[in-house]
Amino acid sequence: MSLPGIVGLCHIGFAVHSIEEFQRTWGALLGLDDWLVRDVNQPDGLLQLHGEIVGPASSRVAFARLADTAIELVEPHDGRTRTSAWLEERGPGIHHLAFWVDDLDRAVAALGDTAEVTYSPAGRRPGLAAPVSAVARGHGALPLAPEPAPGFWAYTESRDARVPWCLELLDARSTDIVRAAFGDHLVYPPPHRPVPGDPLVEPQPPHVGDHLVHPPPHRPIPGDHLVHLRPHHAVPGDHLVEPRPPHEDRA
């Protein structure tokens, strides 16, 4: 089954041991000099890796625009992440392609058993819950851990493919959140154009500059079934003729 609702490529992700080394070599070769570099801290208990809740972790990421796409570099520092595990398993290189989808829940559901959600917010894997950090003795039953949120992104991987890479899916309805964090160093989908029956998007005003091609104004030719009718000339027996007023000499 094909993946539904892909609306555009966001970036190409690389797992690296050193962001600086990539910038000095490949970055210079590609002419990339405008990098956004951020330190990212992963809180304890909010993410899952292969179905297990993972603890705190930290990484450094860097983004740069390249032609009509973007590059992300991920340099793991501490803790367990999908990128740190990838470096241990396969070494540095291309790690993922990130695509925007119009509905992340629908896209993940469409993958079915053909792929695994290998890394994501814990709520993306049913049955996972954030751990309870501490419970005072003698004060009643254990409190229920809050249901973790599914988030707006997920790393997925094919169960059968021989070419290893991750497919990162990003929910296009969360574009504003990502743009606020990373600005124009990533590529974003065009504004959503509502379609009939789409309950998830509020109607928006028409866009200037449609990406669809409109047909030119129609110029009728002989035999064309789209030609507008000319003024009707009545002929005997024509049932489309409007009735005329009765003649005065009729009885």
Side-chain angles (χ1 to χ4, degrees):
M1 182 177 181
S2 62
L3 189 66
I6 292 180
V7 295
L9 177 66
C10 177
H11 64 268
I12 303 169
F14 289 79
V16 299
H17 290 300
S18 171
I19 287 176
E20 291 183 357
E21 188 275 336
F22 187 101
Q23 292 172 325
R24 187 175 64 253
T25 55
W26 278 109
L29 182 65
L30 296 171
L32 303 178
D33 54 13
D34 182 16
W35 291 91
L36 174 68
V37 181
R38 291 280 178 84
D39 290 322
V40 178
N41 294 315
Q42 171 186 299
D44 183 16
L46 294 185
L47 302 183
Q48 65 83 25
L49 177 62
H50 294 295
E52 295 183 5
I53 298 291
V54 292
S58 63
S59 302
R60 177 165 292 171
V61 297
F63 296 94
R65 290 292 298 268
L66 175 62
D68 58 351
T69 186
I71 285 179
E72 178 189 21
L73 310 178
V74 184
E75 176 189 300
H77 288 173
D78 302 305
R80 294 175 60 213
T81 67
R82 186 66 190 103
T83 310
S84 66
W86 189 274
L87 284 170
E88 293 174 0
E89 298 164 3
R90 299 181 173 87
I94 293 179
H95 172 248
H96 65 270
L97 298 182
F99 287 92
W100 295 102
V101 293
D102 59 12
D103 186 330
L104 180 56
D105 293 339
R106 186 165 66 100
V108 170
L111 293 173
D113 294 333
T114 64
E116 177 191 1
V117 179
T118 52
Y119 190 53
S120 71
R124 185 59 55 187
R125 293 284 294 256
L128 295 180
V132 178
S133 58
V135 178
R137 295 189 176 208
H139 291 279
L142 291 174
L144 294 176
E147 186 69 21
F152 60 84
W153 62 274
Y155 281 12
T156 67
E157 297 175 54
S158 172
R159 298 182 186 276
D160 301 320
R162 295 184 178 182
V163 179
W165 61 286
C166 296
L167 172 64
E168 182 180 8
L169 301 177
L170 301 164
D171 198 310
R173 294 169 297 183
S174 299
T175 299
D176 291 345
I177 298 175
V178 180
R179 190 188 296 274
F182 303 111
D184 292 332
H185 287 82
L186 291 177
V187 177
Y188 301 95
H192 185 87
R193 292 181 175 87
V195 296
D198 188 350
L200 300 177
V201 180
E202 294 293 331
Q204 300 177 7
H207 281 266
V208 177
D210 201 329
H211 293 278
L212 297 177
V213 178
H214 295 283
H218 187 79
R219 296 178 181 175
I221 57 175
D224 193 331
H225 295 286
L226 298 178
V227 175
H228 294 287
L229 296 176
R230 297 178 178 178
H232 187 81
H233 295 285
V235 295
D238 194 333
H239 295 284
L240 298 178
V241 177
E242 293 291 333
R244 297 180 178 179
H247 290 286
E248 294 180 356
D249 57 352
R250 288 185 182 176

